Amino acid sequence: QEDVAVAAVVLESLLKLALLAGLTITVFGFAYSQLALDIYGGAMLSSGSGPILLRSYCLYVLLLAINGVTECFTFAAMSKEEVDRYNFTMLGLSSSFLVLSYLLTRWCGSVGFILANCFNMAIRITQSLSFIHRYYQKSPHRPLAGLYLSPVLLGTFAVSGGITGVSEVFLCCDQGWPARLAHIAVGTFCLGATLGTVFLTETKLIHFLRTQLGVSRLADKMT
């Protein structure tokens, strides 16, 4: 029971951490993809389909982060028979992914391939979440609470996305470096406000991270 409780706490914290990291990349990646490509490769990259591709990939990163945690726990907690059944399911998902990739690529171009990956990852996350829910259904632990964010934090992400989106329209990327630097300054301010809100609202996660860092430092000293 103690191991189950510890696993629930760690899973909840890792889910929260993955969700926050993925959301941060997605929200700010949407507004700064064009600038990043413009700095890296100039107008040749930033004026074509590059920004759309990079924005789509930011969404994919969010799903990758969540799936990494949920699927890791699922495979660790499954019995051998459950793993075998899940592998058959994955085979079916691979087939549907190939078909969907073909269709979406024909309809949306290269963005369609990323969207097909997003759909495939969303299905895998749904399966893992279903397993985790059943695994903890008869216990008092609810690690999937790590996927819930406070309304204040969600509002901060939404406002930051809106402000940086407006900033991109007016300041990026053909008005010279002063406008670019102003766009970066807006993003820095919004990112700081978002991280500050995380620090104030996600006290449980902050305590978990501090505890883990403290344990790591103690282990380093002992070695």
Side-chain angles (χ1 to χ4, degrees):
Q1 292 298 321
E2 183 179 352
D3 291 340
V4 171
V6 171
V9 172
V10 174
L11 177 59
E12 180 181 351
S13 299
L14 291 180
L15 280 175
K16 182 81 71 175
L17 186 62
L19 178 62
L20 290 174
L23 270 178
T24 302
I25 291 172
T26 302
V27 169
F28 290 93
F30 267 67
Y32 288 88
S33 293
Q34 185 178 0
L35 178 61
L37 291 174
D38 189 71
I39 293 174
Y40 178 76
M44 182 180 65
L45 289 180
S46 62
S47 60
S49 62
I52 299 176
L53 284 170
L54 193 54
R55 287 169 184 145
S56 302
Y57 198 81
C58 287
L59 176 61
Y60 182 50
V61 168
L62 170 61
L63 297 174
L64 274 177
I66 297 174
N67 181 71
V69 177
T70 55
E71 206 165 72
C72 179
F73 178 88
T74 298
F75 277 115
M78 277 181 172
S79 64
K80 182 181 182 302
E81 292 75 16
E82 289 173 322
V83 171
D84 291 337
R85 288 197 301 268
Y86 189 81
N87 285 333
F88 279 109
T89 304
M90 292 290 289
L91 183 62
L93 281 176
S94 299
S95 301
S96 63
F97 166 70
L98 292 175
V99 174
L100 191 62
S101 296
Y102 174 75
L103 295 175
L104 289 179
T105 302
R106 286 178 62 88
W107 293 336
C108 309
S110 52
V111 177
F113 183 71
I114 301 178
L115 295 179
N117 275 283
C118 290
F119 178 80
N120 183 52
M121 204 59 57
I123 296 297
R124 290 167 62 174
I125 290 172
T126 302
Q127 289 184 314
S128 297
L129 292 180
S130 177
F131 174 84
I132 295 170
H133 175 72
R134 293 194 307 270
Y135 188 85
Y136 281 101
Q137 193 170 17
K138 296 181 181 180
S139 76
H141 310 293
R142 295 293 178 265
L144 294 183
L147 293 176
Y148 296 100
L149 298 178
S150 69
V152 175
L153 183 53
L154 285 175
T156 303
F157 272 115
V159 171
S160 295
I163 292 175
T164 53
V166 172
S167 174
E168 181 185 31
V169 172
F170 290 100
L171 299 176
C172 187
C173 289
D174 55 356
Q175 301 183 42
W177 273 104
R180 294 178 183 176
L181 293 176
H183 182 44
I184 293 173
V186 170
T188 302
F189 174 79
C190 290
L191 180 60
T194 302
L195 295 179
T197 306
V198 170
F199 188 83
L200 293 175
T201 58
E202 300 297 338
T203 54
K204 189 175 181 179
L205 175 62
I206 299 300
H207 175 73
F208 172 80
L209 293 176
R210 284 177 172 173
T211 302
Q212 295 305 309
L213 290 174
V215 171
S216 299
R217 289 172 181 171
L218 180 60
D220 292 337
K221 290 181 180 179
M222 293 178 65
T223 54

